[in-house]
Amino acid sequence: MEIARTVEEARRIARDWKKQGLEIGLVPTMGYLHEGHGSLMAAARKENARVAASIFVNPTQFGPNEDLARYPRDFERDRALCEKMGVDMIFHPEPEDMYRSAQAFVDIGLLADTLDGAARPGHFRGVCTVVSKLFNIIQPDRAYFGEKDAQQLAIIRKMAFDLNFDVQVVGCPIVREADGLAKSSRNTYLNAAERAAAPVLYRAIEHGKSIIKKGMPAQTLISEMEKVLAAEPLAKTEYVAVVDAMTMQPVDVIDGAVLIPMAVRVGGTRLIDNFSLTPER
Ligand code: AMP
């Protein structure tokens, strides 16, 4: 496994692979890896001759009052997991090397202004910018993203299409703990009581799945799921929404493919989760 610490090194390694006609799968991450990231790497390993994983806590996707400085980091542990998953190159650049005095950013309109984008202004601009840079540096054939960040996945698909990136964007299912909590690097912020409360998001999802029906007003589903969340005193719901799975715009009545995303604060930690489906009846 090679470790590229600069843009130049990563570009050189990826170019070399390309010259040999080897297909590249890219897994962008912010590190502090868990089995969710591992599942992306496993998918990439299956479908590509070479796998690159980036480990980069991207400053431009954090707001001024967010957790950039205290975001968990453990490169040695991450390196071991990458090795185990058969990653061929870790790209682990310094923010100064990635951004220097950058003035160009990638903005995506409507899709990025709702839900997490509304709660975190500038977040998706930072995500789109760093992912564009990674696509340009590594030139992957396929790039792997988790459905846990469903809005991010939809935005990256749209960005890749709109900007003609020659890359296939692959979505991978949410990996959960045994009690249903979606795995996340941020789960490490939870204290014992908060960790015990956190599976309420999954319980709300299970409840939502059990009652969702074609023709149901979105608000009925939202209220039902909010009731489950409200029963947990440590949880504070930021939003539960029913949106079109492609456009992220709210729907009034559940009909075609819908995404039901939520953001909930448990103690000081903001957790997100979602489910998506096309109700049959
Ligand atoms: P992050 O390091 O949190 O930026 O995540 C890097 C990638 O891993 C993103 O595409 C996430 O959607 C994905 N990911 C994070 N957690 C999970 C999970 N529990 N299941 C599946 N994918 C995940």
Side-chain angles (χ1 to χ4, degrees):
M1 185 173 70
E2 304 201 62
I3 297 178
R5 292 189 185 266
T6 66
V7 170
E8 271 323 298
E9 269 179 88
R11 214 193 262 289
R12 183 182 51 73
I13 293 166
R15 256 196 208 133
D16 223 52
W17 292 343
K18 289 256 144 190
K19 258 192 228 148
Q20 297 174 55
L22 301 169
E23 289 196 322
I24 305 175
L26 170 68
V27 180
T29 84
M30 296 208 301
Y32 214 73
L33 303 175
H34 50 68
E35 288 91 335
H37 302 109
S39 73
L40 271 50
M41 291 172 188
R45 184 68 284 169
K46 253 197 217 145
E47 298 168 354
N48 303 276
R50 291 290 180 272
V51 176
S54 59
I55 295 180
F56 180 58
V57 183
N58 173 38
T60 62
Q61 70 189 67
F62 287 78
N65 299 317
E66 293 185 359
D67 54 345
L68 173 62
R70 70 177 189 122
Y71 195 85
R73 293 159 167 93
D74 187 342
F75 184 71
E76 283 316 310
R77 200 169 133 258
D78 289 350
R79 181 214 291 256
L81 184 89
C82 289
E83 188 95 58
K84 187 174 131 212
M85 296 310 296
V87 168
D88 299 291
M89 164 175 44
I90 298 178
F91 177 38
H92 184 46
E94 294 295 327
E96 296 72 33
D97 186 33
M98 278 296 264
Y99 286 105
R100 298 180 186 264
S101 54
Q103 296 192 15
F105 290 86
V106 180
D107 251 314
I108 184 157
L110 213 53
L111 265 173
D113 294 338
T114 59
L115 308 171
D116 280 349
R120 305 181 65 189
H123 170 65
F124 287 118
R125 180 183 196 249
V127 169
C128 286
T129 301
V130 79
V131 170
S132 300
K133 288 163 79 68
L134 292 170
F135 285 179
N136 283 329
I137 295 163
I138 309 283
Q139 309 255 319
D141 296 275
R142 299 176 192 83
Y144 296 80
F145 296 88
E147 288 171 0
K148 169 165 172 282
D149 299 274
Q151 186 178 12
Q152 168 174 283
L153 176 58
I155 286 173
I156 287 168
R157 279 192 204 288
K158 181 81 172 109
M159 177 191 81
F161 179 81
D162 287 358
L163 298 182
N164 307 97
F165 280 110
D166 191 13
V167 55
Q168 185 190 335
V169 175
V170 183
C172 300
I174 302 176
V175 177
R176 299 179 177 282
E177 303 286 356
D179 59 10
L181 176 63
K183 291 197 185 246
S184 166
S185 311
R186 288 191 167 96
N187 291 349
T188 134
Y189 297 152
L190 301 168
N191 67 28
E194 291 161 355
R195 175 61 189 81
V200 72
L201 279 81
Y202 186 61
R203 288 202 298 278
I205 286 177
E206 289 290 275
H207 180 57
K209 278 186 186 166
S210 75
I211 60 167
I212 192 168
K213 276 203 168 54
K214 209 177 164 98
M216 179 185 260
Q219 194 50 54
T220 307
L221 181 67
I222 293 171
S223 304
E224 282 288 321
M225 289 175 66
E226 281 177 346
K227 260 191 246 162
V228 175
L229 293 165
E232 173 48 66
L234 290 180
K236 249 177 103 184
T237 304
E238 202 174 272
Y239 69 78
V240 177
V242 180
V243 299
D244 179 284
M246 296 269 281
T247 64
M248 300 290 124
Q249 298 309 303
V251 303
D252 291 335
V253 175
I254 294 163
D255 185 17
V258 285
L259 170 73
I260 294 89
M262 65 177 86
V264 178
R265 277 193 186 275
V266 177
T269 306
R270 185 173 187 276
L271 301 176
I272 59 169
D273 207 335
N274 70 80
F275 71 102
S276 60
L277 51 67
T278 308
E280 299 290 309
R281 52 197 187 88

